[in-house]
Amino acid sequence: MKLGDVAGNAAAVGRLRAAVRDDRPAAAYLLHGPAGLGKRRIADGFAARLLCATPDGDDACGSCAQCTRVAAGTHPDLKVVERDQERRDIRTEQARELTRWLGLRPLMAERKVAIIDDAECLNEHGQNALLKTLEEPPGAAVLVLVATRATLLLPTVRSRCQRIRFDPLEPAEVTALLVARGVKADAAATMAARAEGSPGRALALIDDADAGLRTTILERLAELDRAAAVDCSALAQAMAKGAVDAALDVVVAWYRDLLAVACEGDAARLRNPDVRAALATAAARTSVPAVLRQLECVCDTVDAVQRNANRALALETLLLDLRRIERDPAGQAA
């Protein structure tokens, strides 16, 4: 992995390139921003450049013994800390072991590099275990924290890192990335809008196994005011059988687009540009307060599902509530 292999966020990557070009990296970095922007890939590329024996300017060469070991995951001076799949947090012992490891001398390279992926999954004890290293960093070590929600990290941790924020890419950048992968231009533009600036999410849409369900959900939402209760139940069952998070994401995107069209008309930037006509029709028969109430219902359902509510029942209740508001946007029904 090289820094040049990751698209977008040129300013953020430029700060890392400048640090290695001047051979003055900070002791700790916090790479943060929404998921799917390539933060971990950039952290890997940064680590490769820091350890590279024959760097190509401000990037790794990709072919020396150091780079080969980094790519194989066997470099003795690179350590990656990740959350175990069966756990919701990174174990405190992992953080303590990392601090001990960082205090050792490098074995092959001039410095040691550690990456903590999903750093916000460190509990308070784990974060506190890192503080001594952050306050008194070893001279030959660089620590890179990668986080989606930096606010979950303690202020004492954030303040001791050089923070580098990553922002969603422009739709044109994501579209170009998809076209380069062989996606047709029209389909790429639609996927880019759905991905909301996330290259990772956009690439996942190329082989989207739930594309058919997305089409069904959008079609049903467009005519929800005419749907019978049995239709709502059938759709809820179909959504519950698949990836519920992805299905709810489709519902959220519909109502966000509906709100945008109701407020901005044809000028609205949509996440679902392929159903703009259906959204315009739906917006003509509703109101902004009604759409806001519908979005509130969807958000409540997302929260309930995350708290292990019965999925089919939660989804059916949601669709019936959305239909009720759709039929009475003024909110005067009993």
Side-chain angles (χ1 to χ4, degrees):
M1 174 57 62
K2 300 171 63 174
L3 289 171
D5 294 337
V6 185
N9 277 288
V13 176
R15 291 178 60 187
L16 297 174
R17 287 181 178 273
V20 293
R21 186 168 53 244
D22 299 336
D23 197 27
R24 297 182 61 185
Y29 290 89
L30 172 57
L31 313 186
H32 64 102
L37 300 184
K39 299 185 299 298
R40 171 59 193 278
R41 288 167 59 84
I42 290 170
D44 290 340
F46 184 50
R49 172 57 183 83
L50 287 170
L51 298 172
C52 181
T54 58
D56 181 12
D58 54 12
D59 208 347
C61 70
S63 58
C64 69
Q66 308 276 17
C67 289
T68 301
R69 286 180 177 271
V70 168
T74 59
H75 199 295
D77 296 321
L78 174 62
K79 189 176 186 66
V80 178
V81 175
E82 298 176 300
R83 175 178 56 84
D84 295 336
Q85 290 186 352
E86 68 275 8
R87 294 181 62 92
R88 293 186 176 183
D89 62 349
I90 295 174
R91 292 180 288 107
T92 303
E93 184 53 37
Q94 289 177 275
R96 290 173 177 161
E97 173 58 30
L98 178 63
T99 61
R100 290 191 289 268
W101 181 84
L102 286 169
L104 302 176
R105 294 174 60 86
L107 294 178
M108 286 185 59
E110 295 181 358
R111 56 173 60 90
K112 300 170 79 73
V113 182
I115 299 172
I116 303 181
D117 200 10
D118 294 326
E120 68 269 31
C121 293
L122 280 164
N123 58 35
E124 185 173 349
H125 296 296
Q127 293 184 48
N128 283 327
L130 291 176
L131 279 180
K132 184 174 181 180
T133 297
L134 293 171
E135 291 169 349
E136 301 175 10
V142 176
L143 175 61
V144 182
L145 279 64
V146 180
T148 299
R149 293 176 292 174
T151 54
L152 295 181
L153 292 170
L154 296 174
T156 48
V157 171
R158 297 198 304 267
S159 65
R160 287 164 172 79
C161 298
Q162 185 173 127
R163 299 180 62 175
I164 300 181
R165 176 170 178 79
F166 290 80
D167 297 308
L169 275 60
E170 289 297 320
E173 293 179 285
V174 181
T175 300
L177 176 65
L178 292 170
V179 170
R181 294 295 184 99
V183 180
K184 294 183 178 179
D186 291 345
T190 299
M191 291 180 186
R194 291 175 58 195
E196 295 186 305
S198 168
R201 186 182 298 174
L203 293 173
L205 291 173
I206 295 178
D207 299 316
D208 187 6
D210 299 315
L213 180 60
R214 170 185 176 267
T215 299
T216 299
I217 293 172
L218 293 177
E219 288 176 349
R220 298 294 184 271
L221 292 176
E223 55 189 26
L224 192 59
D225 62 321
R226 303 189 301 274
V230 65
D231 297 324
C232 293
S233 179
L235 179 58
Q237 294 295 329
M239 293 167 65
K241 290 178 181 178
V244 175
D245 290 343
L248 284 170
D249 186 56
V250 174
V251 180
V252 170
W254 167 268
Y255 285 105
R256 283 177 55 186
D257 282 352
L258 187 58
L259 181 62
V261 172
C263 293
E264 303 175 45
D266 293 339
R269 177 186 284 189
L270 304 181
R271 189 175 174 183
N272 298 291
D274 52 328
V275 293
R276 183 179 287 273
L279 285 162
T281 300
R285 64 172 183 263
T286 190
S287 65
V288 170
V291 181
L292 289 173
R293 293 202 304 276
Q294 289 174 313
L295 273 171
E296 184 178 7
C297 289
V298 179
C299 291
D300 288 344
T301 302
V302 170
D303 183 63
V305 169
Q306 290 178 343
R307 295 174 182 274
N308 295 321
N310 182 293
R311 295 184 172 189
L313 180 59
L315 291 169
E316 184 170 348
T317 301
L318 169 64
L319 292 171
L320 292 173
D321 285 342
L322 294 174
R323 185 187 67 163
R324 172 179 53 78
I325 299 172
E326 185 93 5
R327 290 179 172 179
D328 183 29
Q332 297 177 353

